[in-house]
Structure formats: structure tokens, C-alpha cells
DNA sequence: CTATCCATGTAAAGGGTTACATGATTAA
DNA sequence: TTAATCATGTAACCCTTTACATGGATAG
């Protein structure tokens, strides 16, 4: 049930409404870590309120509700962050394609791997540019923007996929039958 | 709906039963790419049969049914492999923790990052040993074992996480406030 | 004969996506 | 006044997990 923990983690940076949290999932966290839409977020915030992990400050225009972490919520977040299971939930279409590349004809496999390498090179450059811009704005002593550390991982991740695709292309080019 | 494509990809290597496919998900594909249990696999194979993507050779002990890819199934697999969307489905608890590390107290963040680095170093070594054993058994000209290419990515992936955790620890050690 | 593995299925409960539905506030 | 944005919610449908349920084949 990681949506709950994603919400706890976002609220650890300060109070937010369901609408704010929905916007947050449109950024990097939704693209790289965990997806969620408002229709799932609102009911989950309701359950978390019942469970005493968050409280509502009912005060805002248009019926806006602002949620704040409770001590129990912060404790639960810390527990989840530090005690991770050996087998974490993983669902990744890109890695699935990596497993299944050996089910394609050599020409198709080559096309897939070349496409992946190009895509990752482009995404890596784009993310590098965003992170460089963040760093340029950043004054020493200020807190890092949310997701700055994870962004650095994103760059390394794209480089890993790109390097892997090139390594795989070399194995294909060497005439090694991959299936 | 990637379970369908995972099954198509596994069946591309040869006919298999629901039981065989369930076993396949207990290996690397289930650990790194996509999880599925038999209670989801059997109904999905039924729907895929209705859709004409697979056919059943009803012949085996204990009511065993063996599924084989049809031409339509192979076409659908190829389509899905080569035409990937920009925004792929991602659900990854480890990356979620990376995003939320900035919501922890510095001591907790350090403990998390050190734990991740150690865990990845261990997993990397274990996977490297399995891949080396695969390569030792492998005769040039034989097809690569299923998942050999993806396994190489696994190694690079663990190295990327480990390198990232160490980079993040250095930023923490430098006294930079991460939140 | 007995335990283990092979083999298939269904049911219930919960998580997640898409669509439906409504209305207040603000900026142009 | 009108369009965009803020803001919340529910309903239907599908996917996923866990548990329930059954029985054949094989090895010791």
C-alpha cells in the first residue's frame, strides 16, 4: 500500500490539499516512482484521517481541505522508509521489454535497442539540464528542492539503460544468437 | 495491460502451460519487471485464447493445457515491443524511497542510504556470480539463456543505485540541508 | 501409503484507472 | 461574461492479491 506512504512523504514537507498532492504526482514522482490520480488520492486521504495519520484544517476557498501529518503519521513514514522488505513491489514496462528483447527477431531487437539508447540519451540530457538549472538557482545553506537527490538517480538510471542497450547491440552485432 | 504482453513474450520462446508461466514469474522477470500469480495468469490465458492470441493443445497429464502463440499473438507482441509510449507504467518502491529520503531526519536519511548501498553491493555480487556461471556454461553459437541480457542490466542497475546512494551520502556529509 | 509436486480453477477484498458530476474562484 | 483553474467527490470497470478449493501423478 505505497500510495499511503507516498502521501505521507509528500506531507512531511508541509501541509497540502488533495489537489496539491494530485499536482505533485504529475511531476517526477509520478513519472519515475509511483502513479496516482485524484480519484484515488481523495479516498485514501479520508482513510488516513480515520487512521489518525493526518488531520484536516478545514479552512480554504472552494471547500479546500489542508492535510497535516500527525506524530503517528511521521512515525509510520519513518517505519516504512527504514524497514524495506527484500522483495519490493516492482512494475516496470521498460524492464519487461528488456527481458523480452530475446523474443524478437534480430532486426526487431536491434531496432528496439537503438530506440531505447536514443530515447535514454535524450531524456538524460533533458534531466541533466533541469538539474543544472536547479543547482544554478540554489544558494548554499538553502534546503535542496524536493526530488533533487532522486533526480540525480534519474540521470544515472538513463545512463545505465543506454549503456546496457549499447552492450546488448554489440552482442547482437557479434552474431551471437540471443535466442 | 502488460501481463498479457509478458505472457506473449514468454510464449514466444516456446509453448508452455499456465503452471510453467507461473513458475517463470518466480524468477527474474517477477523480481525485476512484472509480478503475477497463477490466479491472474489462468484467467488472462483464457481471455487471450478468446482473443485469438494463443491456442490450446489440450493434451497432458493432470488436465495440463499447453498454450502456443498464434500469428496474431506474435504480431501483437511485436507491436507492443516496438511501439512504446513516452509515459510507461512505473511502480517502484525503491525509487519512491529515493524521492522521499529528503523527508527524513539527517540521521535516518544516512541510515537509509547506507542500507541501500550495502544491499545493492550484495545483490550486484550475487547477480554477477549467476551471470558468470551462465557464461561459463554457454557454448558459442548456442542461444543465450532467457534473461541473460536483462541480467546484465540488473547488474548495472544495482551499480547505479549504489553509486547514487554514495553520492547522496557525500552531499549529506558536506552538511548541505537536504530539506 | 504418504508427502510433494504438478496442475487448474474460483471468490472476495482491495487497489487503480477512466469517466461522470458538480461547483467556486480568478484572470482576462 | 467567459474561460481557465482550483477543488472535491462518486461510480463503474478492470487489475491484483490472498485465500479457498480440488484432485492427479510421482518418488520415497
Amino acid at each position: 500500500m505505497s500510495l499511503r506512504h507516498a502521501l505521507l512523504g509528500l506531507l512531511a514537507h508541509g501541509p497540502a490539499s488533495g489537489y496539491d498532492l494530485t499536482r505533485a504526482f504529475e511531476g517526477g514522482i509520478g513519472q519515475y516512482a509511483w502513479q496516482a490520480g485524484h480519484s484515488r488520492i481523495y479516498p485514501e486521504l479520508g482513510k488516513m484521517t480515520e487512521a489518525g495519520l493526518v488531520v484536516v484544517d478545514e479552512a480554504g476557498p472552494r471547500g479546500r481541505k489542508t492535510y497535516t501529518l500527525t506524530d503517528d503519521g511521521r512515525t509510520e513514514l519513518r517505519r516504512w522508509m527504514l524497514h524495506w522488505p527484500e522483495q519490493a513491489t516492482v512494475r516496470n514496462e521498460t524492464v519487461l521489454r528488456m527481458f523480452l528483447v530475446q523474443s524478437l527477431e534480430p532486426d526487431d531487437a536491434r531496432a528496439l535497442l537503438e530506440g531505447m539508447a536514443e530515447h535514454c540519451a535524450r531524456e538524460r540530457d533533458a534531466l541533466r539540464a533541469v538539474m543544472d538549472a536547479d543547482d544554478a538557482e540554489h544558494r548554499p545553506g538553502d534546503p535542496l528542492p524536493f526530488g533533487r537527490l532522486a533526480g540525480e538517480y534519474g540521470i544515472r538510471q538513463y545512463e545505465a539503460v543506454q549503456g546496457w542497450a549499447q552492450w546488448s547491440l554489440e552482442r547482437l552485432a557479434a552474431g551471437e544468437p540471443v535466442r
Side-chain angles (χ1 to χ4, degrees), chain A residues 6-86:
Chain A
L7 294 171
L8 290 172
L10 289 168
L11 288 170
H13 294 269
S17 69
Y19 187 83
D20 297 334
L21 294 163
T22 301
R23 294 286 146 253
F25 276 95
E26 287 169 11
I29 204 167
Q31 200 181 338
Y32 300 115
W34 208 269
Q35 284 152 326
H38 81 274
S39 69
R40 184 87 198 89
I41 290 168
Y42 287 115
E44 185 62 30
L45 287 169
K47 283 191 194 175
M48 289 163 73
T49 306
E50 279 177 48
L53 301 172
V54 295
V55 286
V56 189
D57 294 338
E58 200 121 12
R62 282 163 297 211
R64 177 186 167 98
K65 291 185 200 171
T66 304
Y67 292 86
T68 306
L69 265 197
T70 62
D71 286 346
D72 277 4
R74 200 170 284 273
T75 301
E76 172 55 21
L77 172 62
R78 184 174 183 275
R79 186 200 62 73
W80 181 82
M81 286 290 282
L82 297 179
H83 304 287
W84 22 291
E86 289 295 304

Side-chain angles (χ1 to χ4, degrees), chain A residues 46-138:
Chain A
K47 283 191 194 175
M48 289 163 73
T49 306
E50 279 177 48
L53 301 172
V54 295
V55 286
V56 189
D57 294 338
E58 200 121 12
R62 282 163 297 211
R64 177 186 167 98
K65 291 185 200 171
T66 304
Y67 292 86
T68 306
L69 265 197
T70 62
D71 286 346
D72 277 4
R74 200 170 284 273
T75 301
E76 172 55 21
L77 172 62
R78 184 174 183 275
R79 186 200 62 73
W80 181 82
M81 286 290 282
L82 297 179
H83 304 287
W84 22 291
E86 289 295 304
Q87 166 68 321
T89 297
V90 171
R91 190 144 286 164
N92 189 314
E93 289 190 354
T94 302
V95 178
L96 183 54
R97 284 186 177 84
M98 290 178 172
F99 269 94
L100 301 185
V101 71
Q102 292 181 233
S103 69
L104 292 175
E105 305 289 336
D107 282 354
D108 286 340
R110 218 174 339 263
L112 173 60
L113 291 166
E114 281 165 5
M116 276 188 179
E118 277 164 39
H119 177 253
C120 288
R122 250 182 294 124
E123 293 295 315
R124 189 216 95 100
D125 290 347
L127 190 52
R128 179 81 270 167
V130 172
M131 293 298 123
D132 284 350
D134 274 7
D135 288 346
E137 271 183 55
H138 178 257

